[in-house]
Amino acid sequence: MSIDLIVLPCVKGTARWSDIWHQWVQTLGPFRDCLGERPALCRLGSETPIAEQETLQIDGYYHFVLAAPSTLSLGVESNAGNYDEQGVVEDFGRNLSPEAIAGTVDCWRSAGFCYSLTTMGGRGEHEPELFVALGAAVAETCRGHVIVMNDVFDLGIGVYSAQEFGRAAPRF
Amino acid sequence: MSEAPPRKARPGELPPAEVPKKQPSTQEQQWREPQRLQRSQVTITGTADHAHEVTQATRFGQQEGGGTFDFLGNSSQGIEGYFTPKGTTQRLPVSLKDLSGTGRLPNIISTINRNAKQVTAAGEAGAAILHVRLGQFKAQQVAEFIRNGPLIRMPNAGVFKTLIFDCADRALAQGVRFLR
């Protein structure tokens, strides 16, 4: 089964691919060889890599071409028409105080978009570690928070900082 | 992040036990309940090597009367793999989702919309089947939500041939044409 994460940004404007890539390398530690020398990000349905300096597009969906097998994809989704920010954070932010929920909602509303990360069923051996590191890297890049929506990490369902999520142990 | 006590249900949220009994409408009676042939044999092929993936694929296959589920693995985009129903040579693209973590049905919409875009980009629009684990809700709740909520107006209608919601008490399945 596929597993999704949502990353709520706390800065306006979407990230550059190169910023995510370099943060991902830093976060990965011993698994960085899985990325290869030049990991590529392509729009879904295309095998043409986007430029390293390219900024991700809102409503854009991307997949990765890495040294290791990958089913990972990354999306950038507008809040409008897709998300009830308050309803989402209240639902999944079970580890947050009411004040932290309000602050997270304000940040996300202000940004106006979020990132979505997906790993598909049939993933490779080290993809869970790649997935955790990617979630932490995207959150670090946008100074945001990661929403865990399934009980597939040792953290449990909740909303976490980049540092907290980066230490998560996947159970899939 | 500071700790907080468990959150109570929001106004408007109905825990399963509080769902009022209601006679099914004509529309609801048309919902197809997938076959529950627990003895139907499902063969898993491909690179699914994690138990929970096999579990959901097997459950889907059993509900469809048996067959072969072939995980795509490395090349998968938008779907997990293809299901070949028993006795046929069809290869039906299938996406498996576990949305059992949410307490609010409206929060399933963004995930379904996202998957629809992924399926479309993967070139499987129109033929795909989406199987969703929603064991925290009863089928009647989900049926009412679809009928009265945004799912019935999904802008992505036409992407999924069939949506299957595996609920606490039974599974609901329906073709997208009905949902429009």
Side-chain angles (χ1 to χ4, degrees):
Chain A
M1 122 207 126
S2 56
I3 296 166
D4 296 272
L5 294 173
I6 298 174
V7 177
L8 311 180
C10 277
V11 295
K12 293 184 179 177
T14 59
R16 284 187 306 188
W17 159 227
S18 59
D19 292 339
I20 292 174
W21 165 18
H22 295 305
Q23 190 64 47
W24 197 8
V25 171
Q26 280 191 10
T27 310
L28 259 175
F31 297 101
R32 65 184 54 163
D33 287 348
C34 295
L35 297 190
E37 287 294 315
R38 297 190 77 78
L41 186 69
C42 310
R43 285 187 173 271
L44 274 184
S46 164
E47 297 301 319
T48 305
I50 68 168
E52 291 174 15
Q53 297 303 313
E54 189 169 328
T55 301
L56 303 188
Q57 300 296 302
I58 290 182
D59 294 328
Y61 287 86
Y62 306 86
H63 70 101
F64 298 88
V65 179
L66 311 176
S70 163
T71 71
L72 296 169
S73 62
L74 170 65
V76 187
E77 298 170 345
S78 171
N79 292 359
N82 286 317
Y83 293 98
D84 163 18
E85 299 94 338
Q86 184 90 23
V88 171
V89 179
E90 283 189 357
D91 185 7
F92 296 110
R94 298 163 198 184
N95 57 329
L96 302 183
S97 66
E99 294 75 22
I101 288 175
T104 305
V105 169
D106 286 346
C107 254
W108 185 20
R109 278 193 180 136
S110 178
F113 70 96
C114 65
Y115 300 94
S116 64
L117 282 65
T118 303
T119 170
M120 303 296 293
R123 62 191 63 84
E125 182 184 2
H126 297 306
E127 185 154 316
E129 288 79 13
L130 292 177
F131 189 55
V132 169
L134 178 61
V138 172
E140 187 68 44
T141 303
C142 67
R143 290 180 235 150
H145 296 89
V146 180
I147 301 186
V148 173
M149 298 179 286
N150 300 85
D151 195 19
V152 293
F153 303 96
D154 62 345
L155 292 172
I157 293 169
V159 178
Y160 301 95
S161 69
Q163 293 75 27
E164 288 172 318
F165 184 71
R167 293 191 293 269
R171 298 192 297 215
F172 56 96
Chain B
M1 296 289 174
S2 54
E3 295 292 330
R7 183 176 64 79
K8 292 181 179 176
R10 299 179 74 208
E13 288 180 7
L14 287 177
E18 296 176 24
V19 177
K21 294 286 182 191
K22 180 186 166 188
Q23 291 297 317
S25 65
T26 304
Q27 195 176 30
E28 191 172 327
Q29 286 168 352
Q30 294 176 41
W31 285 79
R32 173 173 69 88
E33 183 168 359
Q35 302 170 59
R36 289 189 172 272
L37 302 176
Q38 297 302 321
R39 290 181 199 158
S40 300
Q41 186 165 355
V42 179
T43 303
I44 303 293
T45 61
T47 54
D49 52 0
H50 299 284
H52 64 90
E53 289 164 6
V54 173
T55 300
Q56 189 174 3
T58 301
R59 183 163 170 78
F60 163 77
Q62 287 174 335
Q63 288 171 335
E64 293 299 303
T68 300
F69 195 104
D70 183 21
F71 276 94
L72 278 172
N74 183 31
S75 59
S76 64
Q77 285 184 18
I79 60 169
E80 257 70 28
Y82 292 93
F83 179 69
T84 300
K86 181 181 172 184
T88 77
T89 56
Q90 291 178 290
R91 277 172 61 81
L92 308 172
V94 181
S95 178
L96 306 172
K97 288 284 179 190
D98 181 356
L99 303 183
S100 57
T102 181
R104 298 186 70 234
L105 276 169
N107 286 340
I108 72 173
I109 296 297
S110 58
T111 301
I112 294 173
N113 277 331
R114 181 183 317 126
N115 192 231
K117 289 170 185 169
Q118 293 168 336
V119 166
T120 301
E124 300 286 3
I129 298 171
L130 176 63
H131 186 270
V132 180
R133 285 183 62 191
L134 268 181
Q136 71 277 41
F137 297 107
K138 288 192 172 181
Q140 185 182 340
Q141 284 178 285
V142 176
E144 297 230 353
F145 173 72
I146 292 171
R147 194 164 48 241
N148 301 318
L151 202 55
I152 205 163
R153 301 187 300 273
M154 268 186 72
N156 300 302
V159 175
F160 296 112
K161 178 183 173 188
T162 306
L163 298 166
I164 300 172
F165 296 96
D166 205 355
C167 305
D169 49 348
R170 64 190 172 100
L172 294 172
Q174 193 48 262
V176 166
R177 271 181 301 182
F178 175 78
L179 292 176
R180 280 178 181 159

